[in-house]
């Protein structure tokens, strides 16, 4: 997103760029968004009247793999930020590509999982587990998807002649905040849904 | 207009409408918010007038039951989301950069997008009246009355979709305001030198940033329940209607402070200036405001005392609710302290501010009365609550907004609203609102439940209902005089001068109305009341430089494009998924175009 | 620094007089409203009385805060109104005062909180053992009352014995309703899927008005009921009457009405004990319909004219009524009315 006057960056009261501050505050808001979704999941945990129940269908090894993929994407994201900050454009682009691919892989896993659940009879309307699970992980998936688009646009931007300009590091850094946040949310969801038994 | 000010460039040959549609100037956006919000205030008022007319006499038959239910529901939604919040956003927009000494808000295009999204949601909500029926489940839409089983039409889908859109709009606005206040203060403007109004804005922004995501989830869940067969809130298949109440009020209570804190900020600006003395207890007022914000997240269940919460939760929420009276009391007493020893100019703005103290106290103490579950067993869902909400909302929020309008009008337009007719407006509103809303205490005491479209005679409710209805018509006269005053004033020459009230805050350091770039030279701040400090220390305003080289963000139509995408998304949510997909595409296109737009 | 001398005293006196007059007038109006049929301020049960004592206390405190703020606002407005050559006191604050006016609200809050908590603890817990149990079920838009221990089922009118605690179990068949008889108790919601409870001990025989207090759809305004508190003997007699089965009339219009009741499909929704066909549970149990004082969720008096009006088109009388317009002919209505009136 754009900033006001382009000189805003160096004369802010906190010394942080507006865009970065915006991202921080936005993520605070996101905390409550996911907090509410997760709370709803917890409230309805074990309240399903009919199956399939979580224990019946969750495939922990599979999702552990996809979780690992997402975790790796955070590592590549860190490297992309490093590249951007140190003017190593090649590293930055490469790592952005890697992050995007890892994110997309994660989404692939999720699509597979959702479809599989559909086949074994778990849909949004099946029971409380279905409703809360799909809503929560679905919104998380949307966030990953938005993140992929976000990073892709940075990547494309960096290919253009002006190449994200002198604020490259800031752009990538801010995107990194978002990406890490989405990752952390997944760790929480993964723990709550897959690791803590009913 | 990517140019230095003074060279009125190519905008001239564009149409004026296009200029307004693509503007990213915070002052113009403020005007858009203000005018639209006021129009919706009139619409909400007309809805209320119909409600009151139906209730004027027992067994009234002005409108039928279903229309009545639509009217009181949309009345509340309109007043809260389409009138007071946007009017608040209007003041925020106008004043934030001016009071903190900035050239614009941090994200001007995001700001424009906020307005256009608001307009989208507002039009969508209101259009429901003509598209099969407006929401009719009350403004807090308790499940399971709002489930598909008991509310089959589209009424409640209009509710979820338009509130979601309005939420996105407010979130964008609040993020922008928070960043601006935190990060774009003029040199010397420390946090503890911020005008109280800015503090209240900041608290409000954070309240919204932290509470909107909660209601967003609730609305999505309700939407899914109604459209995709999930079961969050209906009991038959494991859902829980009480969960909706918890989530709604977890948002809903902070929301009521969103409505009142801006007006508290306005009063804290007006009273010291009009009393010609500094605000009494600045830090106390600021901390009390922040405390109210924090406590506001810990009291939501006081709306649910009658739902069978259980003994301990009742006690806990009763205690936290009563505790809110303490910081609020501190504010009230500090305002009185500000009047004490003053040399008070009773302008229209002063009248509204002083009335605010008194009327808000009435609403506040009835609030504290409901805070006792023993009492609330009788109050809940009775007209006593209706009296409470209108004393805090009309006596508080609206009175504050009117005070702000009269106070800042000279700054915004260079013209004074007519004082004589302003005082007429004041007295008519004051008398009218007391006539309308005080009797509701008596009605509540006499056991009249709220949200009833009819009642029998013989219950002792006739007189006070009639008085309340008469009161609305008095209010209408007062508001109409204000409208006339506005249009007449706008035809006067601009004679107000930079600082007609001899006020202390930065917005009065620039011309009235301010230039597009706000300040020729951004002032340096030495004190909490900068202009008084300069006046008393003989510091002259910095000379106007010969040449100004100020870059302002150029106008952009991308916010409009994105807002159109959001509109399509909303229409899709009400009709067909294909439209929604198109909407997403437009949004993505708009954001992409936005990112590529030159910002200089 | 504002007015001084006589001007100041006059201003203060005027303010105090206005405040006192306002408080006085409001007091009169409040008392007046407390003397209305559905009043929230004349408790006729033990628990109600406890709550009302708290209410009274809080009301007085509210009145004091109201009067205090009103008087100060008026006094300051009059005394410190701008005067030629006046000077404003340049004060930034005063820590002693800040402490004082933090302390005053704290004190008020404590005074309100302590009795509140006591009363909540006493009145919201489990009902005493010896209580009479009533199951109150909310329907869109009428109240059903079952006495599981006595085997009585009725609607619209709730009968209770005096001086015996009653435990009301609150349920709902559809949306949220709220059980509210202001003179007997504060309201408690009837939430589908949750069994709420409420108990109180009526202490004065009489007739009390009740009304649904939670918005429950189009006819929320028309969802009312009455409570009759009897001496124990009267209550027992009432129970005896309710336990009897309805005798199906065998001659005259009423007998034709009994057939019509089957023919018109009334049996699908209504139960009449003694009529083996009438077992419906969608609508109110009509076994002793004629002994009730009110009709259709307390909307109208239970007399012949209103009954005709009801049967000829229920939704016209009560918007949204679940009982549809059955397009009964006038003759059919005559018969049904005759029959229904035998259901004593
Ligand atoms: C601007 C909006 C606004 C504001 C500021 C408030 C402020 C307060 N509200 Fe209100 N409230 C609403 C808007 C607002 N409310 C709305 C819209 C509803 C209804 C929603 C619906 O059902 O539709 C509602 C409903 C509502 C209820 C639920 C009622 C019910 O449905 O049963 C309760 C219960 O506790 C409550 C309490 C309070 C309290 C304690 C405050 C406190 O913040 C008030 C504090 C102020 C004072 C106390 C006065 C000044 C203080 C002094 C002079 C000091 C000395 C006094 C004392 C210590 C007592 N409110
Ligand atoms: C911000 C909030 C706000 C404001 C300002 C108001 C203002 C008013 N409200 Fe409202 N009200 C609510 C918020 C608000 N209300 C809420 C939250 C509820 C609860 C809803 C629910 O239960 O779900 C409620 C409920 C509510 C009820 C209870 C309905 C019920 O329970 O059945 C009533 C009944 O009298 C009422 C009346 C009024 C009146 C008479 C006004 C008046 O102040 C309105 C004043 C009139 C005008 C402003 C009109 C102005 C001028 C003109 C019309 C002139 C036209 C001229 C031209 C067009 C040139 N309101
Ligand atoms: Cu039942 Cu309102
Ligand atoms: Cu609240």
């Amino acid at each position: 997103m754009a900033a006001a006057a382009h000189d805003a960056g160096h004369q802010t009261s906190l010394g942080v760029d507006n865009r970065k501050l915006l991202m921080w505050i936005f993520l605070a808001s996101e905390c409550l968004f996911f907090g509410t979704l997760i709370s709803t999941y917890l409230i309805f945990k074990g309240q399903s009247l009919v199956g399939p129940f979580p224990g019946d269908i969750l495939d922990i090894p599979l999702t552990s793999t996809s979780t690992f993929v997402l975790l790796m994407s955070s590592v590549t994201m860190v490297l992309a930020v490093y590249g951007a900050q140190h003017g190593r454009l090649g590293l930055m682009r490469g790592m952005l590509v890697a992050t995007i691919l890892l994110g997309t892989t994660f989404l692939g896993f999720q699509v597979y999982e959702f479809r599989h659940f559909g086949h074994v009879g778990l849909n949004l309307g099946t029971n409380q587990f279905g409703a809360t699970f799909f809503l929560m992980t679905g919104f998380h998936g949307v966030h990953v998807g938005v993140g992929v688009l976000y990073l892709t646009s940075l990547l494309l931007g960096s290919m253009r002649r002006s190449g994200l300009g002198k604020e490259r590091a800031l752009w990538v850094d801010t995107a990194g905040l978002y990406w890490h946040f989405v990752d952390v949310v997944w760790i929480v969801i993964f723990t709550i849904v897959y690791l803590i038994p009913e | 207009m990517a140019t230095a000010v003074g060279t009125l460039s190519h905008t001239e040959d564009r149409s004026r409408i296009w200029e307004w549609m693509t503007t990213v100037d915070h002052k113009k956006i403020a005007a858009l918010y203000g005018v639209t919000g006021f129009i919706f205030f009139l619409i909400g008022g007309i809805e209320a007038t119909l409600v009151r007319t139906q209730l004027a006499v027992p067994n009234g038959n002005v409108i039928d039951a279903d229309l009545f239910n639509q009217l009181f529901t949309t009345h509340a939604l309109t007043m809260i989301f389409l009138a007071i919040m946007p009017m608040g956003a209007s003041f925020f927009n106008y004043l934030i950069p001016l009071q903190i000494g900035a050239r614009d808000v941090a994200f001007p295009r995001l700001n424009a997008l906020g307005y256009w999204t608001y307009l989208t949601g507002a039009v969508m909500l209101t259009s429901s009246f003509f598209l099969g029926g407006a929401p009719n489940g009350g403004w807090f839409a308790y499940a399971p009355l709002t489930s598909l089983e008991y509310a089959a039409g589209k009424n409640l889908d209009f509710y979820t979709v338009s509130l979601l859109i309005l939420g996105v709009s407010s979130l964008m606005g609040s993020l922008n305001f928070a960043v601006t206040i935190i990060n774009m203060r003029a040199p010397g403007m420390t946090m503890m030198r911020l005008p109280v109004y800015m503090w209240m804005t900041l608290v409000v922004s954070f309240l919204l940033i932290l509470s909107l995501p909660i209601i967003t989830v609730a609305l999505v869940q309700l939407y899914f329940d109604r459209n995709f067969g999930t079961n969050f809130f209906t009991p038959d298949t494991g859902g829980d209607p009480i969960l909706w109440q918890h989530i709604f009020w977890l948002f809903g209570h902070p929301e009521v402070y969103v409505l009142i804190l801006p007006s508290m900020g306005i009063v804290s600006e007006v009273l010291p200036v009009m009393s010609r003395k500094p605000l009494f207890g600045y830090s106390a007022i600021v901390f009390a405001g922040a405390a109210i914000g924090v406590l506001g997240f810990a009291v939501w269940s006081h709306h649910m005392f009658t739902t069978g919460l259980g003994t301990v939760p009742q006690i806990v929420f009763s205690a936290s609710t009563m505790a809110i009276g303490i910081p609020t009391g501190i504010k009230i007493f500090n305002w009185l302290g500000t009047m004490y020893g003053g040399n008070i100019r009773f302008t229209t703005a002063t009248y509204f501010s002083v009335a605010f103290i008194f009327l808000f106290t009435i609403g506040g103490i009835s609030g504290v009365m409901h805070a006792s579950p023993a009492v609330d067993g009788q109050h809940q869902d009775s007209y006593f609550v209706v009296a409470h909400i209108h004393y805090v909302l009309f006596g508080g929020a609206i009175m504050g907004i009117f005070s702000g309008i009269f106070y800042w009008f000279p700054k915004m337009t260079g013209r004074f609203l007519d004082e004589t007719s302003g005082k007429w407006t004041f007295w008519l509103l004051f008398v009218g609102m007391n006539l309308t809303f005080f009797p509701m205490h008596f009605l509540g005491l006499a056991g009249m439940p709220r949200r009833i479209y009819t009642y029998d005679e013989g219950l002792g409710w006739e007189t006070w209902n009639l008085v309340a209805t008469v009161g609305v018509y008095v209010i209408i006269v007062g508001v109409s005089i204000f409208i006339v005053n506005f249009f007449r004033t706008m035809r006067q020459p601009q004679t107000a001068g930079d600082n007609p009230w001899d006020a202390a805050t930065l917005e009065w350091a620039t011309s009235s109305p301010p230039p597009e770039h706000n300040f020729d030279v951004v002032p340096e701040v030495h004190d909490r009341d900068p202009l008084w400090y300069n006046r008393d220390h003989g510091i002259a305003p910095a000379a106007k430089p010969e040449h100004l080289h100020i870059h302002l963000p150029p106008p952009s139509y991308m916010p409009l494009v994105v807002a159109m995408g959001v509109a399509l998304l909303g229409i899709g949510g009400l009709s067909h998924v294909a439209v929604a997909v198109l909407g997403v595409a437009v949004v993505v296109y708009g954001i992409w175009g936005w990112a590529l737009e030159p910002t200089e | 620094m504002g007015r001084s001398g006589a001007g100041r005293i006059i201003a203060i006196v005027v303010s105090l007089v206005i405040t006192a007059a306002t408080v006085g007038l409001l007091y009169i109006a409040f008392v007046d409203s407390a003397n209305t049929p559905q009043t929230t301020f004349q408790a006729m049960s033990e628990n109600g009385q406890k709550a009302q004592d708290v209410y009274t206390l809080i009301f007085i405190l509210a009145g004091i805060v109201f009067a205090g703020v009103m008087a100060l606002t008026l006094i300051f407005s009059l005394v410190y109104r701008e005067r030629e050559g006046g000077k404003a006191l340049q004060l930034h604050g005063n820590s002693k005062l800040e402490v004082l006016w933090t302390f005053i609200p704290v004190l008020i809050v404590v005074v309100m909180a302590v009795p509140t908590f006591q009363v909540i603890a006493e009145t919201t817990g489990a009902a005493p053992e010896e209580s009479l149990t009533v199951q109150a079920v909310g329907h869109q838009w009428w109240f059903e009352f079952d006495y599981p221990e006595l085997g009585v089922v009725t609607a619209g009118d709730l009968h209770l014995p005096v001086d015996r605690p009653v435990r009301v179990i609150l349920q709902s068949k559809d949306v949220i309703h709220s059980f509210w008889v202001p003179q007997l108790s504060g309201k408690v919601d009837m939430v589908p899927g949750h069994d709420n409870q409420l108990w109180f001990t009526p202490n004065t025989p009489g007739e009390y008005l009740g009304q649904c207090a939670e918005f429950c759809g189009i006819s929320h305004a028309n969802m009312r009921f009455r409570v009759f508190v009897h001496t124990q003997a009267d209550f027992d007699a009432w129970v005896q009457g309710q336990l009897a089965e309805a005798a199906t009339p065998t001659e005259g219009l009423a007998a034709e009405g009994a057939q019509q009741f089957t023919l018109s499909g009334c049996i699908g929704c209504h139960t009449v004990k003694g009529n083996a066909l009438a077992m419906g549970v969608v609508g109110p149990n009509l076994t002793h319909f004629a002994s009730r004082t009110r009709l259709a969720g307390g909307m109208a008096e239970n007399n012949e004219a209103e009954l005709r009006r009801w049967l000829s088109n229920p939704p016209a009388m009560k918007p949204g009524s679940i009982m549809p317009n059955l397009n009964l002919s006038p003759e059919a209505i005559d018969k049904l009315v005759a029959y229904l009136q035998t259901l004593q």
Side-chain angles (χ1 to χ4, degrees), chain A residues 29-45 110 114 124 128-143 181 185-186 188-190 192-193, chain B residues 164 210-224 230 232-233 243 247 250:
Chain A
S29 181
E30 291 276 85
C31 283
L32 276 120
F33 181 80
F34 282 108
T36 312
L37 286 169
I38 293 171
S39 310
T40 315
Y41 179 85
L42 289 175
I43 287 167
F44 284 128
K45 198 167 172 159
Q110 194 170 31
F114 277 23
L124 267 173
Q128 294 316 92
F129 172 62
T132 51
F133 173 82
F134 282 119
L135 201 67
M136 175 173 66
T137 54
F139 266 111
H140 181 266
V142 169
H143 277 74
F181 171 81
V185 170
W186 180 253
V188 176
I189 292 179
F190 180 67
I192 286 173
V193 177
Chain B
L164 279 168
L210 300 178
S211 66
L212 283 170
I214 301 174
I215 189 72
T216 303
V217 172
L219 290 169
V220 168
Q221 288 170 339
L222 180 58
Y223 184 84
F224 271 54
T230 57
F232 289 102
F233 305 125
L243 179 64
I247 310 185
L250 195 47

Side-chain angles (χ1 to χ4, degrees), chain A:
Chain A
M1 314 261 143
H6 80 117
D7 56 353
H10 21 102
Q11 55 178 43
T12 59
S13 313
L14 294 189
V16 183
D17 185 88
N18 283 339
R19 280 157 287 182
K20 200 162 169 185
L21 186 61
L22 179 80
M23 182 55 84
W24 276 113
I25 303 181
F26 173 67
L27 293 182
S29 181
E30 291 276 85
C31 283
L32 276 120
F33 181 80
F34 282 108
T36 312
L37 286 169
I38 293 171
S39 310
T40 315
Y41 179 85
L42 289 175
I43 287 167
F44 284 128
K45 198 167 172 159
Q47 302 281 315
S48 297
L49 302 179
V50 294
F53 301 103
D56 306 340
I57 56 172
L58 291 179
D59 183 346
I60 298 178
L62 179 87
T63 315
S64 302
T65 317
S66 76
T67 305
F68 180 73
V69 168
L70 198 62
L71 275 180
M72 282 306 103
S73 79
S74 255
V75 176
T76 54
M77 189 69 229
V78 169
L79 292 173
V81 174
Y82 178 86
Q85 282 168 343
H86 293 78
R88 292 169 60 180
L89 262 185
L91 177 68
M92 180 192 90
R93 288 197 188 117
M95 285 301 128
L96 279 180
V97 172
T99 315
I100 291 167
L101 287 178
L102 288 167
T104 318
T105 314
F106 174 84
L107 285 178
F109 272 102
Q110 194 170 31
V111 170
Y112 168 79
E113 189 184 33
F114 277 23
R115 294 189 49 162
H116 171 69
F117 286 1
H119 288 314
V120 299
L122 184 74
N123 288 308
L124 267 173
T126 311
N127 55 21
Q128 294 316 92
F129 172 62
T132 51
F133 173 82
F134 282 119
L135 201 67
M136 175 173 66
T137 54
F139 266 111
H140 181 266
V142 169
H143 277 74
V144 176
V146 169
V148 166
L149 281 180
Y150 187 2
L151 296 182
T152 310
S153 70
L154 288 184
L155 182 68
L156 294 179
S158 83
M159 309 289 201
R160 286 156 51 96
R161 208 156 8 111
S162 55
L164 289 186
K166 51 186 181 302
E167 292 178 323
R168 187 192 311 118
L170 178 81
W171 284 115
V172 180
D173 194 8
T174 309
L177 284 179
Y178 175 84
W179 192 263
H180 296 313
F181 171 81
V182 175
D183 255 15
V184 170
V185 170
W186 180 253
I187 303 294
V188 176
I189 292 179
F190 180 67
T191 314
I192 286 173
V193 177
Y194 296 85
L195 298 187
I196 299 179
E198 254 174 283

Side-chain angles (χ1 to χ4, degrees), chain B residues 38 41-49 51-52 55 68-69 72-81 83-84 137-141 259 381-383 386 389-390 393-394 397-398 429 433 436-437 440 448-453 465 468-469 471-473 475-480 483, chain C residues 215:
Chain B
F38 195 82
F41 172 67
L42 296 181
I43 295 177
I46 291 169
E47 286 159 354
T49 309
V51 164
R52 281 269 29 116
L55 292 175
F68 182 91
N69 296 342
F72 80 69
T73 305
T74 38
H75 158 63
L77 296 171
T78 305
M79 285 297 192
I80 292 176
F81 296 103
I84 297 196
W139 81 281
F140 40 77
L259 301 172
D381 272 327
S382 79
Y383 261 75
V386 181
I389 65 187
H390 289 92
L393 288 166
F394 198 97
I398 296 281
L429 289 192
M433 78 82 58
T436 312
F437 302 124
M440 294 184 181
M448 178 165 168
R450 62 195 282 204
R451 300 171 159 188
I452 55 173
Y453 76 95
N465 269 304
T469 304
V472 191
Y473 290 92
I475 298 179
I476 290 182
V477 178
V479 175
S480 305
I483 296 172
Chain C
F215 181 62

